[in-house]
Amino acid sequence: MFTLPDMPQDRALLELADRFSESEATSLRAFLAFLHVSAETYEAYNVHFARYGLSDGRFSLLIFLLTERERVPTPSDCAERLGVTRATVTGLLDGLEREGLIRREPRPGDGRMLAVRLTEQGQKLLEGMLPDHFRRITACTSHLTEIEKMLLISLVVRLRSGLPALSER
């Protein structure tokens, strides 16, 4: 049987399911397992990014700038792409700019707007870390077959579709 540390035992989940008609033991167990693994993943991810002086948000922003080739994005574009507020992106950009990893400049053709560009230093940081980053992700998922990896993607997408049930009023 699959178990995670600090997770309620099946007996406790069954008792909760019996006590509250709205619950179902397998759903509780699956969701708790997902939460535990998510928390452990974020913890490991943060340790990994700290090696490079980055956070998940800073890394995501740098990767967006590295891969955005069709146009030079604005801070608003960055916020939209990352799914965060403009204020959050401003904080990320401020720190990355202080470290010389990005620069903000007037956008070509519309000087009233800012464009965000990856600097040479930012490019070098990513080129130096990405091989290690990809190696670690591959190692993390190496215990899964290709079919299991595709199934995991499918299950996570399906689980995501139920997230509004947690936040709706």
Side-chain angles (χ1 to χ4, degrees):
M1 175 194 281
F2 177 73
T3 60
L4 291 169
D6 302 323
M7 222 174 104
Q9 298 302 315
D10 284 335
R11 188 180 78 245
L13 292 175
L14 286 172
E15 288 172 8
L16 285 172
D18 285 344
R19 184 173 169 197
F20 299 99
S21 63
E22 300 84 2
S23 66
E24 186 267 312
T26 306
S27 293
L28 295 173
R29 191 165 191 272
F31 197 76
L32 286 173
F34 177 76
L35 288 177
H36 277 275
V37 171
S38 294
E40 290 174 359
T41 300
Y42 273 110
E43 187 176 322
Y45 221 42
N46 289 332
V47 168
H48 166 58
F49 286 133
R51 291 180 185 99
Y52 300 97
L54 296 174
S55 65
D56 179 35
R58 289 164 52 103
F59 175 75
S60 296
L61 184 49
L62 291 173
I63 288 293
F64 172 61
L65 295 174
L66 178 70
T67 59
E68 185 63 33
R69 300 188 189 279
E70 294 179 22
R71 60 186 170 81
V72 181
T74 65
S76 294
D77 295 332
C78 296
E80 184 177 322
R81 174 59 189 248
L82 272 58
V84 298
T85 66
R86 290 180 186 177
T88 298
V89 162
T90 298
L92 292 171
L93 292 173
D94 288 347
L96 292 170
E97 192 168 39
R98 267 192 309 276
E99 293 178 26
L101 301 174
I102 62 106
R103 70 177 178 275
R104 289 177 273 199
E105 56 193 31
R107 189 167 186 179
D110 186 355
R112 297 170 297 163
M113 295 184 75
L114 290 176
V116 182
R117 295 185 189 271
L118 194 61
T119 63
E120 186 176 327
Q121 183 179 344
Q123 177 93 23
K124 285 181 182 178
L125 173 67
L126 288 174
E127 287 175 3
M129 78 163 291
L130 285 176
D132 177 53
H133 179 70
F134 294 141
R135 180 185 59 76
R136 289 173 187 273
I137 288 174
T138 300
C140 182
T141 60
S142 67
H143 301 88
L144 302 174
T145 66
E146 286 301 308
I147 290 172
E148 289 170 332
K149 291 173 193 174
M150 296 306 294
L151 178 60
L152 178 61
I153 292 166
S154 173
L155 291 172
V156 168
V157 167
R158 290 176 62 193
L159 181 62
R160 184 177 186 226
S161 70
L163 288 179
L166 288 175
S167 58
E168 65 189 18
R169 294 181 185 244

